Amino acid sequence: MRHRTRVISVVVMLAAALALVPLATAEEKPQYGGVLTRFIYADPGRLDIHTETPFPVQIATAGIFSGLLHHDPADPAKITGDLAERWTGSADGKTYTFFLRKDVKWHDGEPFTVADVKATLDRLLHPDFRSPRCGAMLKPMVAGFNAVDRYTVEIRLNAPNSNFIPSIASAWCRIVAKHILEKHGDLSRPEAQIGTGPFRFKRYERGSVIEWEKNRDYFVPGVPYLDGVKHFILVSGPTQLAAAKAGRLMLWEAWPPLLRTQVDELQRTRGTEIEVFTAPVNTVAMVQLNTQKPPFNNRDLRRAVYLGIDRQEIITKAMDGSAMPCALLDPKVVGDFALPLEEIQKLPGCRQPKDQDIAEAKRLVEKHYPNGVDIEASIRSVTDYVDRAQLVVSQLRRIGIRATLKTYESAAGYSIYGKGDFTLIATQDTGMVTNDPSDVFMLLFRTGAGRNYGKWSDRKVDDLVEQGIREQNQDKRKQIYHELQRYLLTQDTPGVIVGWIEGAFFAEKRVRNYRPGPTVFDNNTFMKVWLAR
Amino acid sequence: MNVYLVRRLLYFVPTLFGASLLIFALMRMVPGDIAEILVYQTGGETADVQQREIQRIRRELGLGRPLAVQYLDWAVHALRGDFGYSYTQRRPVADILAERFPRSMELAVLTMCLAVAWAVPAGVLAALHHNRWVDRLVQVASLGGLSIPLFVTGLLILYVLVRVFQWLPPLEFTAFLESPSENLKQMIWPALAQAYYISAPIARLTRSQMLDVLHEDYVRTARAKGLAPLRVVFRHGLANALLPVVTFIAWWGGRMLGGVVIMESIFVVPGIGTALVQAVSYRDYPTVQAIVFVMALTFLIINLVIDLLYGWLDPRIRHA
Amino acid sequence: MNLRGLARAARRRPLGALGGFVVLGLVLVACLAPQLASHPPKDAAFPRHVAPGTQFRMGTDHLGRDVLSRVIWGARLSLYVGFTSVAVGITLGLLWGIFTAYAGGLADGITQRIVDVLMAIPPIILALALMAVLGPSIDNVVYAIVILLAPTAARTIRSVVLGIKTTLYIEAALALGCSHARVVIRHVLPNVLPMYVVLLTVNVGYAIMAEAALSFLGLGAPPDEPSWGGMLSAATRAIETAPWVMLFPGMAISLAVFGFCLLGDAFRDVTDPRLRQGLG
């Protein structure tokens, strides 16, 4: 019995991917050779895919490692076997068996066996091991695992969980080598980047460039087509654009998305050579309220902010128009788990024009603070955020909340948020790790969730989230998520979802067979990408 | 002279101690530490797990110990040349220093060479033609360098290269010894921008020093006798005249060794400036302490050399 | 200094006069900002990236704010930061320098080490750390620049005072029984004043540039404040499609620094006794 991901989201993702990205026609034969050039927006520093969380780390090591499962590079909506040639699940949904490939070698020639899977899982699931991406997803799910034989591993769950397979297929849950872990202790250093993936880690010049080279012994025959991939490390925005305009970048498919002005400039310089496409980046922008302190420990004030914020204005003016407003789930990503947009756009908070909602918001504020209330609006000093924050401040003024902007350094701002030293976060983006509908609720709305900075807690939401994870039946699952969304859109909420971010990106026309994955982390191994002459 | 030298060298100790202590204190005063930053960045873990993690990271890095202990521990190790491990890069800080400093040094040397090549002759010329149009031109031109912000010049250079020449400097760093041409193709541009900026004060200083010398009695006498003033100056006083210029150049060169962050990020030069700013951002205390220590030491050494040079070359001071 | 004297001085130093005009113009713009600017600088009420034209003489920025109004109000911010930080910083340096040079001995030694420490730490890190501790605000930028300026000023003043200290005037005055305070006020101060004035004028340009650089890095004034440096920072994302957002604040900074430097040069030329004698 093979498991597949939900049919609807498959169709939607397929449609989206096919519609948005240049396709190689069926007749075109892939050509071998060439080095793909792209950039990473920050220096990764440490390269341990299990312990690190920043996106640059994942980009830097993506092509080096393989997972038990992955999103098929030719068809990213589908989860297929990577190191596991097939897998089965028990009827009660609590036990999964993975049958490993027998012909795989690590980049240093050592054979891949179940011992490596065991070492990886031992590491990730160890209670003292810090793995905020993969480990945090798997630890609550997994009860135990064991190696059945040299090429078979069995993983047992605490309870059936629809997010298990997507998590195992996640780009963060890569299998690493036992002998490398023993030799180096951790995977932070370039020397420890020994994987089973389509590319070898060639070199890391800190602050400058990361290079991969083709793995000629890759276990999938005939790939990769590329000779290598070169990632420039470009921190400065103008330099990124200049590199694109000067033809140094063949692909710009990851953070940060291109601005409209940048797209215009690019098309003017390289219009004939490139193809611009938009793709959802599975990241949500949210205004967060601290529910432990006044004024937002008061439900009415939370509702007032929810009604008063003009999401569309923020998106048009400060987010380049590239976001889908209001929704808690993005239909482009999760299919019809998301409430239909027409329904959401009629609800208070989202509906335009906003006169009614603003009036109601003012009334709610005046009820408790007849003379208005003064608060501090916190923001991390990232270019985009600062613009959005200024709009949020002026919108709050309309409903009687006088906010002064307080900026924090980009990195240190997180510790302020984590400690709860804020009243209102004017905007913070959170990227989803899988494309399962449970992600956004697990990250932002559940009691004790890591990005639930405002420490909001609602029993009903927790129950619904829990049910949604456990439910195996797809239709019943959809009902649960619809109920959850309606509750959060009409009742209480710890903040305001401004929108799901989409980005403009580009690929040179000669880059073939690239398709964006369901999340930004997926499908950046470039395993099946090729360059046309 | 030796007493002076020894005294100056002894002064290094309290100064370095003070500088490292000040930076230590400032870094501890800024909100947030590496543990909090690492943990609160993601959303993956639940709040209680996060708290546990923060405590664990702090224990691992010794951040829970009393501040005095932390500082003394660092200082004792630093004096032995052990700068510890970077919190963010998990490798010895000394490696980071050894890797990054030479690039910033190269950029600084390149900058100063370019700046001096233009600014000193310009200043001399301006002084020789005092109050005439050449003088005014040099003053205005050099002011242009000073008044346009460095980051604007850098961005404009980048923009012009791409727009007009459809060309970009190399985005990968190649060491000078590996391939001088590739290296210079990248480094020449930030060097030009910085040189433009720094040539202004050099030209102005050269000019005013030359003006002083030109008014010296011996020059006026020579002029009265009909000799070309430049010839006279060259033979008699150029060294003294240009001494303040040399010290200024050395001083600025020393400052620039610290790397100019904006130039490094725009032109993708992985230098010490970016390393320092990133380290501050992430509260990577060992890296910040080490870089500031080394830069302070360099600054003190350069100043000492300058003062010694002054004392040696200027007989008036030597006998003071 | 009557008007005729001023005119004569201007003719003799045309560049300095130019600088003076520019500075005067900027001061006027800064003072009259509320009257001159047609729109509130933080009002994001208009369409974004409108090119300069009849309605918006300098166009609008990426949030739809009038660039001209922001540049005008930016003059107020830059001059406020420039003047305040320099006034406080250089005066601090003056008092410090006089004290340490006059006192001599251990006090001098200690304060000299403090100056060394502050100067040995690279200025960017000092500014970064200070702003991180204090938090972003216009007044905190002033404090940070004060801490950057004061040590160098103190050292310069100190060397001038040391030079004066050994002159006969001082020795004679002390021998005659004048109190230290009197000596400082009547003999030291007047001789230090020219250098003080030069330091004031020369450093305003530097202070304005420092504020622009800090704001450009996101460490200076809060982002919605109309700071020229902050405007430049936001403008880098649309250099080609909306060059006016970068051009006008950039020109404003350049003009301000230009003017102050020329003025400072003229002051320095005037106070240098040797040059005052003019050419032979």
Side-chain angles (χ1 to χ4, degrees), chain A residues 46 53 130 132 186 188 203 205-206 208 230 233 239 243 248 409 411-412 414-415 418-419 443 448 450-451 453, chain B residues 32 36 39-47 53 87-91 103 168-169 172-173 266 268 270 281 283:
Chain A
R46 294 190 295 206
T53 60
R130 175 148 205 276
D186 65 33
S188 306
R203 120 183 137 105
E205 183 67 64
R206 289 174 197 272
S208 179
K230 200 180 252 208
I233 298 176
T239 313
R248 295 295 174 86
E409 289 168 83
Y414 282 119
S415 66
K419 289 190 281 207
L443 284 171
R451 282 284 180 107
Y453 294 127
Chain B
E36 289 174 357
V39 170
Y40 287 133
Q41 266 188 148
T42 15
E45 301 157 315
T46 50
E53 277 309 313
Y87 292 164
T88 47
Q89 290 188 38
R90 284 241 190 101
R91 55 177 185 145
R103 290 122 183 225
L168 203 63
E172 288 174 67
F173 176 76
I266 292 177
V268 204
S281 244
R283 313 290 188 253

Side-chain angles (χ1 to χ4, degrees), chain B residues 47-64:
Chain B
D48 45 318
V49 174
Q50 287 178 331
Q51 282 313 306
R52 225 184 330 128
E53 277 309 313
I54 290 177
Q55 298 313 318
R56 196 184 56 87
I57 296 177
R58 287 205 178 127
R59 252 196 325 269
E60 201 179 284
L61 297 174
L63 290 175

Side-chain angles (χ1 to χ4, degrees), chain C residues 165-254:
Chain C
K165 207 168 130 171
T166 56
T167 63
L168 294 171
Y169 274 124
I170 308 291
E171 293 185 21
L174 287 172
L176 283 174
C178 289
S179 71
H180 286 293
R182 207 183 152 110
V183 170
V184 167
I185 295 176
R186 295 209 63 200
H187 295 287
V188 176
L189 223 43
N191 281 303
V192 165
L193 222 50
M195 177 55 86
Y196 176 65
V197 171
V198 167
L199 284 175
L200 282 178
T201 44
V202 156
N203 277 304
V204 176
Y206 170 80
I208 292 180
M209 192 63 93
E211 185 274 320
L214 281 174
S215 298
F216 182 81
L217 289 172
L219 299 165
D224 46 351
E225 295 292 331
S227 148
W228 290 336
M231 293 166 73
L232 280 178
S233 174
T236 56
R237 304 200 297 170
I239 300 182
E240 197 170 341
T241 42
W244 56 90
V245 191
M246 185 163 218
L247 196 66
F248 294 114
M251 278 174 21
I253 296 179
S254 302

